[in-house]
C-alpha cells in the first residue's frame, strides 16, 4: 500500500498497520509472526519502529491513538500490543496454529 501524501498521518498509519496484520501479509512475514503472542498481537513499539511507520511519525502516542481508531485492529488492555481484531479471518487460524504448537510441546 502506498502512502497518500494528502491523507492525515493517522489514516496512513492505520492503513499501513492494517496491511501488516492482513492474512496476505502475515502469510509471508515471518519476522512479524515470530514477534506475535498467542492472541496474534505484536508489540506496538516494534510495529512503530518499522520504516514506513517511522517515516510518518516517531511519536508512539500518535501511533497508539491512530491504531485505536481502526475497526480491523485491536490493542491489548495497556495499549502495548496490537493485532488484527478478533473478528478478522486471521485470528481463528492463529489460535489453531498456536494450540497445535502447544499440543505438540
Amino acid at each position: 500500500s502506498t502512502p497518500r501524501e494528502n491523507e492525515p498521518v493517522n489514516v496512513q498509519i492505520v492503513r499501513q498497520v492494517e496491511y501488516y496484520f492482513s492474512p496476505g501479509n502475515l502469510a509471508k512475514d515471518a519476522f512479524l509472526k515470530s514477534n506475535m503472542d498467542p492472541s496474534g498481537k505484536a508489540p506496538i513499539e516494534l510495529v512503530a519502529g518499522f520504516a514506513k511507520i517511522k517515516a510518518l511519525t516517531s511519536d508512539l502516542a500518535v501511533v497508539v491513538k491512530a491504531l485505536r481508531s481502526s475497526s480491523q485492529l485491536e490493542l491489548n488492555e495497556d495499549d502495548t500490543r496490537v493485532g488484527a481484531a478478533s473478528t478478522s479471518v486471521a485470528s481463528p487460524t492463529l489460535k489453531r496454529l498456536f494450540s497445535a504448537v502447544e499440543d505438540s510441546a
Side-chain angles (χ1 to χ4, degrees), residues 9 13 16 20 45-59 63:
V9 165
I13 291 170
Q16 190 59 46
Y20 290 147
E45 281 189 12
L46 175 86
V47 175
F50 290 167
K52 288 186 177 177
I53 303 300
K54 272 179 28 184
L56 297 169
T57 182
S58 57
D59 187 339
V63 175

Side-chain angles (χ1 to χ4, degrees), residues 9 12 15 24 51 85:
V9 165
Q12 294 182 54
R15 177 180 292 106

